[in-house]
């Protein structure tokens, strides 16, 4: 049964209400609150039952056929929502907007929040190490305007990207955008790439926010930027019902201020995740992240993904790292203090997100507790950072909130004793109802002079005042007693004061919960008034945390301060790949990298497994670390400022888009050649191996010459084409280096040491032996290799036929000769040559 096929006139009132609400949320799965359950109907129920593995049942909603339905308990809904969000669905939460006990007729219901991949604010559904960005993309003919924000932290940025889809894709992936909002469906190809290749959700929103949040862009003059903000804000505020009050400003990001790295570079260098497993562990970020706060961890990733080009800012970070290393005792104290700070950025987001609980407030309080001590350490270090004094807020929270409050706000036990006198009285009544009544009994005896007056209780009348027959005459009208029951030897009365106390005793628990919730809301409002100070303090703490982390790894990994040069010269003495060094089970071999002003290209030769790729990667990583403001892994380091890094390392087919290894190679090489400048770094590893030998060698040489002679940027070019090493003799700027290996008794030892000059021998069969290939296969390969080497030395076809050592008839009608005439040796691969050789041998047997 489909929703649009239903005759609404036949529906029950409850289902009519559901249909009206669902009409406004057609793209979302509507979680409809009914009592203690969230229920999903029609297509939503079918989808949810399938994706969440729930039982699909039916509901009689006034129709002859039962409506498809499934449901989940409201108190355990989070895991279900999280699973649906991960699968790319959007979820709308529909709540009861009034107490069913007090409702007249149908309980009012309405959607209170919409959740999608880019608008999650719940801690349990967020990765603390990553920002959760949602972005608007607007096409302005020659530029894309990307407006992206993280509503869990209140951050908002705008970046202008050239009208280049690859560059736009790099920006979206490098910034970790989780959801994209387009203004129309014209970018269908890009949408497919984002959704199918990278798991980024998308929506189409045609509208722009006309009124509200003008303070965010009050200082922005570019109408394109304002339009981008309005487009994103309409989607967030109107369609997703988000309170964006935490966003108070917009950060304009200029890509030219940062070292540019495309998605291939980030992936190939394993900066934030590994190539093989796509995991954070064993990435460069994993190695460098010694931060103590979640916000610091996110900022460190931002630094790593956006290395600087401004020499002064970089040196300023170096200076602070130096200071922290000098004052190592203060650094150690800061590490302990920072460990006490919770995720203040996202706690601020929860203040406005409406889901702040008492435990969150406790985390804010505990963070504020260490602020004065951190402030003292900042002063001792002489850093320019400032923390806003929040001692008053700390004292308030210390006085108000229980140390171990419940997660929900409707259980009581939120507010400490002594914070509110009315609450204290209610708690006293709850904990000692009998004492309150006993106290009232004594008060009434003194007031009336009736010595045998008693206060009792039964289920019919509740609390009552009992006076014996002999004392009833002492009851005066002014006491306000009202007769309720006559017994044989006594009369029972009630009074307004007694009923008031009774109400307090019997309803104390309910009133405590209500009052504590009200007081908590007041406290939350007080936190709201301080939220921008808290946000500013969180930003300061994050920066300090990153610097302490960088100082920590400088000590732990023996890193050194780089020297930034004006000229295009690289002098790295005993450089190391920090991750490989850390995880390697053998001693790491350090290598220097020396490139004078005139050296454009290092042409690297050497066997597989010798360390060519590691050597290339370590140069790029040292540059990235240096320009993000970190110390670097080597004995000494002098570097220029680079503007871009391009890499072509590894050879894996792009199966999703159907592109071959060679096509991927050429596209990545073309991207580098098209965008590199004289101040860029290019790493080309084994370029051209994806096609036939002579094709590949020709392309590799042409690309190498083009980059060296025309672009003139710093380039590391590794190759197995030993013929290319001759280029250093007649091309200025090309310098041969090689990774050393020693062969002895048929066995090869890789020394992993880079030295000047070229090698003219490959060690492929030796590598295959190390990999455990069968000996028969290896012997056959050696036999074929020997033949090829002999064939290469022969210059005449007559000698060639002797080397092949086939016995065949030389008559003109020989099948072998005819086959030989058909072979073009310049256009076959080594594997094809082996197959032809086998074919000729079979023909010779005939």
């Amino acid at each position: 049964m489909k929703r649009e096929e239903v005759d609404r006139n036949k529906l029950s009132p409850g289902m009519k209400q559901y249909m009206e609400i669902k009409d406004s949320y057609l793209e979302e799965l509507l979680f409809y609150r009914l009592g203690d359950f969230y229920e999903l109907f029609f297509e939503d129920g079918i989808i949810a039952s399938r994706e969440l593995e729930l039982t699909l049942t039916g509901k009689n909603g006034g129709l002859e056929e039962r409506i498809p339905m499934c449901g989940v308990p409201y108190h355990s809904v989070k895991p279900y929502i999280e699973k649906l969000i991960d699968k790319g669905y959007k979820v709308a939460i529909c709540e009861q907007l009034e107490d069913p006990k007090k409702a007249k007729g149908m309980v009012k219901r309405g959607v209170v929040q919409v959740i999608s991949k880019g608008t999650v604010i719940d801690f349990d559904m967020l990765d603390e190490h990553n920002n959760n960005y949602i972005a608007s993309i607007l096409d302005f003919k020659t530029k894309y305007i990307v407006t992206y924000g993280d509503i869990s932290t209140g951050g908002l940025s705008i970046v202008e990207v050239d009208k280049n889809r690859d560059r736009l894709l790099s920006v979206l992936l490098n910034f970790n955008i989780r959801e994209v909002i387009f203004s129309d469906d014209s970018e269908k190809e890009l949408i497919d790439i984002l959704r199918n290749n990278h798991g980024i959700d998308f929506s189409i929103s045609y509208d722009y926010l006309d009124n509200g949040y003008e303070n965010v862009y009050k200082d922005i003059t570019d109408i394109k930027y304002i339009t981008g903000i309005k487009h994103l804000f309409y989607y967030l505020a109107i369609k997703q019902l988000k309170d964006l009050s935490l966003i108070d400003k917009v950060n304009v990001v200029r890509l030219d201020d940062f070292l540019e790295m495309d998605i291939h570079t980030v992936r190939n260098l394993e900066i934030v995740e590994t190539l093989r497993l796509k995991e954070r562990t064993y990435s460069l970020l994993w190695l460098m992240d010694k931060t103590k706060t979640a916000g610091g961890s996110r900022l460190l990733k931002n630094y790593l993904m956006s290395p600087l080009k401004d020499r002064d800012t970089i040196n300023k970070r170096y200076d602070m790292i130096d200071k922290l290393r000098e004052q190592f005792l203060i650094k150690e104290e800061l590490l302990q203090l920072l460990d006490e700070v919770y995720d203040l950025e996202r706690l601020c987001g929860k203040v406005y997100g409406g889901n702040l609980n008492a435990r969150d407030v406790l985390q804010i309080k505990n963070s504020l507790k260490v602020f004065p001590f951190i402030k003292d350490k900042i002063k001792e270090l002489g850093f320019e950072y400032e923390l806003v004094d929040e001692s008053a807020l700390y004292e308030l929270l210390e006085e108000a909130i229980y140390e171990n409050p419940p997660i929900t706000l409707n259980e009581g036990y939120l507010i400490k004793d002594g914070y509110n006198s009315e609450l204290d009285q209610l708690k006293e009544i709850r904990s000692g109802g009998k004492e309150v009544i006993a106290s009232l009994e004594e008060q009434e005896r003194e007031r009336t002079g009736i010595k045998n007056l008693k206060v009792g209780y039964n289920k019919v009348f509740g609390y009552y005042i009992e006076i014996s027959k002999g004392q009833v005459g002492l009851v005066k009208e002014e006491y306000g007693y009202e007769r309720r029951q006559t017994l044989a030897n006594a009369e029972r009365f009630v009074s307004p004061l007694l009923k008031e106390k009774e109400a307090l005793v019997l309803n104390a628990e309910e009133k405590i919960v209500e009052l504590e919730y009200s007081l908590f809301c007041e406290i939350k409002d007080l936190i709201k008034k301080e939220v921008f100070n808290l946000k500013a303090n969180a930003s300061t703490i994050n920066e300090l945390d990153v610097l302490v982390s960088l100082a920590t790894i400088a000590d732990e990994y023996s890193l050194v301060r780089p020297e930034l040069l004006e000229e295009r010269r690289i002098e790295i003495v005993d450089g190391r790949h920090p991750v490989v060094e850390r995880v390697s089970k053998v001693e790491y071999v350090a290598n220097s990298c020396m490139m004078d002003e005139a050296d454009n290209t290092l042409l690297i030769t050497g066997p597989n497994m010798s360390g060519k790729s590691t050597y290339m990667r370590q140069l790029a990583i040292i540059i990235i670390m240096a320009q993000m403001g970190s110390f670097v892994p080597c004995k000494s380091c002098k570097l220029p400022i680079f503007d871009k890094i391009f890499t072509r390392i590894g050879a894996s087919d792009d199966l999703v888009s159907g592109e071959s290894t060679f096509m991927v190679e050429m596209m990545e090489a073309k991207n580098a050649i098209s965008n590199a400048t004289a101040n860029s770094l290019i790493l080309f590893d084994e370029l051209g191996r994806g096609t036939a030998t002579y094709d590949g060698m020709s392309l590799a040489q042409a690309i190498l010459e083009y980059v060296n002679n025309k672009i003139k940027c710093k380039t590391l070019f590794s190759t197995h084409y030993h013929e290319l090493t001759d280029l250093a003799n007649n091309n200025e700027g090309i310098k041969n280096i090689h990774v050393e290996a020693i062969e002895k008794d048929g066995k090869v030892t890789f020394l992993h040491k880079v030295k000047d000059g070229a090698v003219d021998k490959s060690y492929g069969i030796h590598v295959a032996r190390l990999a455990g290939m069968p000996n028969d296969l290896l012997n056959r390969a050696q036999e074929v290799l020997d033949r090829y080497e002999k064939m290469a030395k022969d210059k005449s076809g007559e000698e060639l036929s002797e080397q092949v050592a086939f016995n065949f008839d030389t008559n003109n009608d020989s099948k072998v000769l005819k086959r030989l005439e058909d072979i073009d040796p310049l256009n076959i691969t080594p594997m094809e040559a082996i197959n032809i050789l086998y074919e000729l041998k079979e023909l010779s047997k005939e």
Side-chain angles (χ1 to χ4, degrees), residues 326-478:
E326 290 171 9
Q327 302 291 335
F328 61 90
L329 291 177
I330 296 178
K331 185 195 74 174
E332 292 302 316
E333 289 171 346
L334 275 173
L335 281 170
Q336 295 177 22
L337 292 169
L338 290 167
D339 204 26
E340 300 294 320
V341 179
Y342 290 84
D343 195 345
L344 271 180
E345 277 187 327
R346 285 187 168 157
L347 287 168
C348 289
K350 292 188 78 171
V351 172
Y352 278 102
N355 58 346
L356 190 79
N357 61 42
R359 294 188 183 182
D360 297 327
V361 174
L362 205 61
Q363 289 184 357
I364 292 174
K365 186 201 81 172
N366 290 334
S367 300
L368 296 180
K369 182 179 181 179
V370 298
F371 273 22
F373 305 104
I374 294 176
K375 194 171 183 177
D376 289 342
K377 301 306 170 190
I378 291 173
K379 189 175 181 181
E380 287 181 55
L381 291 166
F383 290 174
E384 296 177 359
Y385 296 126
E386 290 187 7
L387 290 176
V388 180
D389 182 11
E390 291 290 356
S391 55
L393 179 60
Y394 169 76
E395 294 296 337
L396 170 72
L397 301 183
E398 172 68 15
E399 181 185 345
I401 305 297
Y402 269 129
E403 295 303 327
N404 189 26
I407 295 176
T408 62
L409 301 179
N410 55 3
E411 298 179 35
Y413 301 95
L414 300 174
I415 308 299
K416 283 183 177 179
D417 298 342
Y419 180 74
N420 179 274
S421 58
E422 182 183 354
L423 181 61
D424 289 344
Q425 186 179 7
L426 286 170
K427 287 179 179 178
E428 187 178 338
I429 293 169
R430 179 182 63 184
S431 62
K434 292 182 179 179
E435 287 80 0
V436 171
I437 299 301
S439 173
L440 177 66
E441 182 180 87
E442 187 61 35
Q443 291 174 17
E444 288 300 292
R445 283 178 180 175
E446 291 181 7
R447 184 167 76 95
T448 63
I450 302 173
K451 301 300 181 183
N452 65 355
L453 180 150
K454 297 179 181 178
V455 175
Y457 174 83
N458 67 30
K459 293 182 179 179
V460 178
F461 296 107
Y463 284 101
Y464 56 83
I465 296 171
E466 183 176 294
I467 301 175
S468 66
K469 289 283 188 180
Q471 299 286 315
V472 168
L474 299 176
V475 175
K476 299 178 181 178
E477 186 178 346
E478 61 194 59

Side-chain angles (χ1 to χ4, degrees), residues 288 300 303 313-328 331 334 381 383 385 543-556 559-562 625-632:
M288 296 184 68
L300 177 68
Y303 278 12
T313 307
I314 298 171
N315 277 313
K316 187 176 180 181
R317 287 183 187 171
Y318 293 163
D319 291 340
M320 287 191 281
I321 293 171
D322 264 334
K323 189 70 173 180
L324 283 164
R325 296 184 74 187
E326 290 171 9
Q327 302 291 335
F328 61 90
K331 185 195 74 174
L334 275 173
L381 291 166
F383 290 174
Y385 296 126
E543 289 188 36
L544 186 64
D545 193 16
V546 170
L547 289 169
V548 172
S549 176
L550 293 178
T552 300
I553 64 169
D555 289 332
E556 190 172 333
L559 309 184
V560 300
R561 176 172 179 155
M625 290 177 68
Q627 290 189 215
M628 72 172 281
S630 170
F631 286 14
V632 295

Side-chain angles (χ1 to χ4, degrees), residues 766-809:
H766 298 87
V767 174
R769 180 170 281 109
L770 290 173
M773 285 286 191
N775 285 329
D776 290 349
L777 183 152
L778 294 169
N779 293 335
R780 175 58 179 157
Q782 186 64 53
E783 179 184 334
V784 175
L785 177 63
D786 291 342
R787 287 181 178 176
Y788 273 124
E789 288 178 344
K790 290 177 182 178
M791 289 165 63
K793 293 176 182 177
D794 283 320
K795 301 300 181 182
S796 66
E798 188 176 2
E799 291 178 357
L800 179 61
S801 64
E802 291 176 3
Q803 297 290 351
V804 177
F806 285 146
N807 295 316
F808 54 82
D809 188 357

Side-chain angles (χ1 to χ4, degrees), residues 703-726:
I703 291 171
L704 177 57
E705 289 174 340
Y706 184 92
V707 171
N708 182 76
N709 299 330
K710 291 196 173 183
I711 301 176
K712 298 182 182 297
C713 63
K714 298 297 183 187
T715 304
L716 269 60
F717 197 110
S718 75
T719 184
H720 274 108
Y721 301 133
H722 299 123
E723 296 84 350
L724 296 183
T725 58
D726 291 336

